[in-house]
Amino acid sequence: MFKVISCLAYEHDYSFVVIAAIVCVAGAAMTMRLFDRAARLSPEARFAWIMLSGVACGSAIWTTHFVAMLGFQLPFDAAFNPLLTIASLLIAIAFTAAGLHLSATPPNGMPVETGGAVIGIGIVAMHYTGMSGYEFAGRIEWDARLVEASILFAVAFGALAMHLAARQRIRFAKPLSVVALVLAICAMHFTGMGAATLVPDPSVPVPTKVFSSEFLAVLVLATMAIIAGLTLYAMDAKSQRELVDSFRHAAQHDPLTGLPNRAFLSDNLPAMLERSAAAGKEAAVIVVDLDRFKEINDVHGHNAGDLLLQTLANRLKALTGPGELVARVGGDEFVAVKQDIGSRQEVDSFVRRLVDSVLDPIHNKAKTLSVGASVGVSLYPDHAGDADDLIGAADLAMYRAKRALTDKICYYDRSMDEGRRERSALAIELRHALDRDEFELYYQPQHDMKSGEVTAFEALLRWHHRERGLVAPEEFIPIAEENGLIIPIGEWVLRTACAEVATWRKPYKIAVNIAAAQLTQADLPRVVHETLLATGLAASRLELEITEASIIEDRERALHVVRQLKALGVTIAMDDYGIGYSSLSTLQIFPFDRVKIDRSFVEDVANDSASAAIVRATILLANDLRIPVLAEGVEKQENFEFLRAEGCSEMQGFLFGRPQPLSEIASLVGRETRPAEAPKASTSGVRRIEASGLALSRQSGVA
């Protein structure tokens, strides 16, 4: 009889034992590295790495066992059953892969250590299957207690290894998990070998269809080389694919919200439209632009703005189903796509879900963040035949919705394209209006409420187009603001008004509108100062009107500019009061010399109780702050009577006089001589604005 554990000291070739130990440690380290990588991947990508880990671990267990067996030297012939030998390798791979999978993604209620126990069972099954394939002229007798101990070692150390690898709650958890896995393999192997006693029996023949020790050595070496090569190749290939996938994902997804971006939409929208067309269905593109998002950033900071975008993105992702997509294509702009539409009601329902998720306030600590939404919708193939045109149509509808006072959801219609072409043509003509001397100033009087006398005039811009005739300001002013032309045009208005008013014998003040883009200029105070010096107009006769909306863009910057302008001696008026966002605080902070109530409140003041309340409160507040109030748009006698009764100090409107060119009011203002030619804004300034592509606010600075 040969007790295997005693033969370890005498009948073993220690070089094989050393090789077995090296294989065991290297295989365990590779297994834990692959498992750690797999545990950090998504469930979809995890499976391949788990299988790779199982192959590495199972092969290491199998190789360790048979390398050690090759070093076992006996005085009689022995061989290995090929079926059981190969089966033991497959058992090791299958059990370890299953155990690693359970530890990486444990079912509900099952601890990760269960996977380690399964690996331990796999080590046991591999060992005793391999030993049953060890054939010699005799039989093996087993010590039941040592067999039980070997099973306990394998299961306990296997569970410990996966506990350390998966939970990583202590320092050096990763290297310790490798040590635990090595102990699971080695403790099981040598305890199991210690449980075996080889009993020679010459009557037991060695089968002929067996692996010799030499052949097994070659097989083990080949298996080690193949498994190591395949593992390294697979790791490299997977890493390369994942690197490429990560770059592709980063290029096509928004880093802040994780939503698909404009590039993703451009690549995938055409195919989505084709699938809908192939199914005989329609598709919809919905552009959602957030209202008041800039206020969130200005008031609460960019962190709050980022939180709002991330929360909205999560909501939008949660509500999308099959055939639906939401992408973030700009700072506060999203594009949603819905495929396979069977009716208009499906689109309405989808749009309503989008809007409801956006409008729902977000509560963050003591803050409540809320925004509005302007939505444009276009349908394929009714409104456009390709992806770019479809998005463009939805954009047009969104801009119309943004301009609307009530309905913030707008479907595209053909008239929008006609309006866009008309605006584009007008923008081209507007670029040459200064050079062609097509602009003229009209003047509208402002009257004192008590005396009825004229106190000032407001300069209003008119465009005499050589073919179109007189173009209304509400048509071309927004175009000038969108295209950056409002800055040179605004400077022309300022210089022309000051030059003309300087020739009047009567010292009336002149009010000039300042656009939002002008207010954000770094050199606006310098431009005003140079204009006053060049024209000779006293600073006290110039009043600059700014809208509250232009202040909101950058309150600190605007306040700094206003203070510089006040230092020049000019007066500052708040125009369009009442339609802004924070009128009360603005009146407190900014040193206004006059407040102009917007005409939208004045025109209905006699019949609309809400308008009357707003006007009454404005006059009362301004009087308390000792700021004169001027009401715009006074056209009816009953409006005049109401305003006079409430204590309004000045008025302006058709009831007192319409805007007229200088030639019509020359006698009224006491114009002395024909004024010198007004200085024009240089065409280089126009070209400079075009080149810079400035995106300006849609606030009208020149009426």
Side-chain angles (χ1 to χ4, degrees), residues 289-345:
D289 189 83
L290 304 183
D291 298 331
R292 304 189 305 276
F293 176 71
K294 189 176 186 306
E295 296 173 46
I296 299 292
N297 280 334
D298 291 343
V299 176
H300 300 290
H302 288 280
N303 288 338
D306 290 347
L307 172 67
L308 183 139
L309 290 173
Q310 290 169 335
T311 304
L312 293 184
N314 292 334
R315 290 178 182 175
L316 295 173
K317 279 189 286 190
L319 66 83
T320 53
E324 298 173 349
L325 168 72
V326 177
R328 183 188 179 209
V329 298
D332 58 355
E333 187 173 327
F334 299 84
V335 172
V337 181
K338 183 171 178 61
Q339 298 175 255
D340 302 330
I341 296 170
S343 66
R344 173 72 174 268
Q345 287 72 24

Side-chain angles (χ1 to χ4, degrees), residues 667-681:
S667 60
L668 176 62
V669 300
R671 182 182 179 187
E672 293 179 346
T673 59
R674 186 176 181 272
E677 183 177 355
K680 298 179 181 178

Side-chain angles (χ1 to χ4, degrees), residues 65-88:
H65 172 81
F66 280 100
V67 168
M69 290 298 294
L70 288 173
F72 187 31
Q73 299 172 341
L74 292 174
F76 45 78
D77 292 333
F80 298 88
N81 183 287
L83 292 179
L84 292 175
T85 299
I86 299 300
S88 65

Side-chain angles (χ1 to χ4, degrees), residues 535-651:
T535 61
L537 183 69
S540 59
R541 295 180 61 190
L542 176 62
E543 181 170 87
L544 302 178
E545 297 183 357
I546 61 177
T547 62
E548 185 177 11
S550 65
I551 293 173
I552 294 298
E553 293 291 326
D554 187 343
R555 291 174 67 91
E556 292 185 4
R557 168 66 184 160
L559 181 58
H560 178 65
V561 173
V562 167
R563 286 172 175 167
Q564 287 182 305
L565 294 172
K566 290 276 290 181
L568 295 176
V570 302
T571 57
I572 307 294
M574 175 191 276
D575 198 12
D576 299 338
Y577 180 84
I579 62 173
Y581 307 111
S582 56
S583 300
L584 295 178
S585 62
T586 304
L587 284 180
Q588 280 184 313
I589 297 172
F590 283 78
F592 290 113
D593 299 288
R594 184 157 57 165
V595 172
K596 298 182 70 174
I597 302 176
D598 188 68
R599 65 174 58 249
S600 61
F601 298 107
V602 174
E603 60 189 7
D604 293 327
V605 72
N607 303 314
D608 184 77
S609 58
S611 295
I614 292 173
V615 171
R616 186 180 294 113
T618 300
I619 295 173
L620 181 62
L621 174 64
N623 287 339
D624 286 343
L625 295 174
R626 292 181 173 81
I627 302 176
V629 177
L630 183 145
E632 295 183 296
V634 181
E635 300 179 4
K636 301 175 183 178
Q637 185 65 31
E638 56 266 31
N639 295 348
F640 168 73
E641 297 296 341
F642 175 89
L643 292 165
R644 182 169 61 179
E646 293 299 328
C648 184
S649 54
E650 295 176 278
M651 298 191 187

Side-chain angles (χ1 to χ4, degrees), residues 475-493:
E475 291 185 44
F476 72 85
I477 292 300
I479 297 175
E481 291 174 331
E482 290 172 4
N483 290 276
L485 297 172
I486 196 64
I487 293 179
I489 291 175
E491 290 184 9
W492 182 90
V493 171

